[in-house]
Structure formats: C-alpha cells, structure tokens
Amino acid sequence: MENSSTGEGVVARGGLDDSVRGELASLRDSIDNIDAAVVHMLAERFKCTQRVGRLKADHDLPAADPAREARQIIRLRELAESAKLDPAFAEKLLNFIIAEVIRHHETIAGERLARDEEGEGDHG
C-alpha cells in the first residue's frame, strides 16, 4: 500500500486506489438516481396512457394506433441520435413500452365491454 500522507492514493483491497473507489461509488450513486428518475417517469407515462386507454374504450377506438406508433419510433430514433444514444436501442425500448401500453388498452377495453354487457341485463 502507498502512504496517503505523501499525497499519493492508498491502494485498497482489489488493487483499487481509494480515489478510484470513491469515484466509482459516486458514479453508481448517480446511476441509482437516474434509474429512480426513469422509473418515476415511466410511471407518469403509464398514468397518461391509462387515461388514453379509457378514452379509447369509451369511444370504441382500437387499442393500437400503428400510424402514431410509427411516428413515435421515428421521433424517438431522432432524439436518440441527437443524444448520442444508439437509435436501435431506443427503438427496442419504445417497442417494448408500446407493446405494454397496447396490452393495457386491450385490458381496459375488455373491462369496459364486460361492464357494458352486465349493464344490458340490468333493467333496474
């Protein structure tokens, strides 16, 4: 081990200098914060898409909107490129999210249909 009083870093177990270990911990803290923000943003996104699903179900609109989805993929790929993120990765992520949203919309529509059918037999 090197002596920290000489101004040189102390080499800790595993051969990592204390300054490297500290920087790694700091970066991991940042990653953890970003992950938390991503989860919260996805939760907000899904709150909005749930409202869209209810609106679609109320007006007998299809769960999927392929034209919008295609526009969103193009838009997200462009955003990814400008952010120096792999556009193919961004597209895969959006396709995963879209599939989940459509599944939610289909569930909401099915629940709405079941309520409507129950209401037909109830004449008060």
Side-chain angles (χ1 to χ4, degrees):
M1 287 198 173
E2 297 175 353
N3 186 338
S4 62
S5 65
T6 65
E8 297 177 31
V10 175
V11 177
R13 67 183 148 83
L16 285 181
D17 184 288
D18 280 346
S19 65
V20 173
R21 193 175 299 284
E23 184 176 0
L24 185 59
S26 176
L27 289 168
R28 286 178 172 163
D29 286 344
S30 293
I31 290 167
D32 292 349
N33 289 336
I34 293 165
D35 287 347
V38 167
V39 167
H40 287 284
M41 292 183 76
L42 282 171
E44 286 300 311
R45 188 186 196 287
F46 277 99
K47 285 178 190 174
C48 290
T49 60
Q50 292 288 74
R51 290 171 48 200
V52 168
R54 286 191 297 275
L55 191 61
K56 285 181 170 185
D58 289 347
H59 296 279
D60 297 320
L61 297 170
D65 184 345
R68 171 159 168 78
E69 293 155 19
R71 288 191 308 272
Q72 285 296 95
I73 288 169
I74 292 168
R75 179 177 163 271
L76 195 72
R77 286 185 68 92
E78 290 170 354
L79 288 169
E81 285 180 26
S82 68
K84 306 295 187 234
L85 179 68
D86 179 7
F89 169 76
E91 182 174 345
K92 286 177 193 173
L93 178 61
L94 185 61
N95 280 327
F96 180 78
I97 292 169
I98 288 170
E100 187 67 7
V101 167
I102 290 169
R103 188 180 69 77
H104 289 179
H105 289 182
E106 289 169 342
T107 299
I108 291 167
E111 290 168 353
R112 172 63 186 239
L113 183 61
R115 279 194 312 273
D116 288 352
E117 288 174 353
E118 286 176 8
E120 288 177 10
D122 182 16
H123 298 291

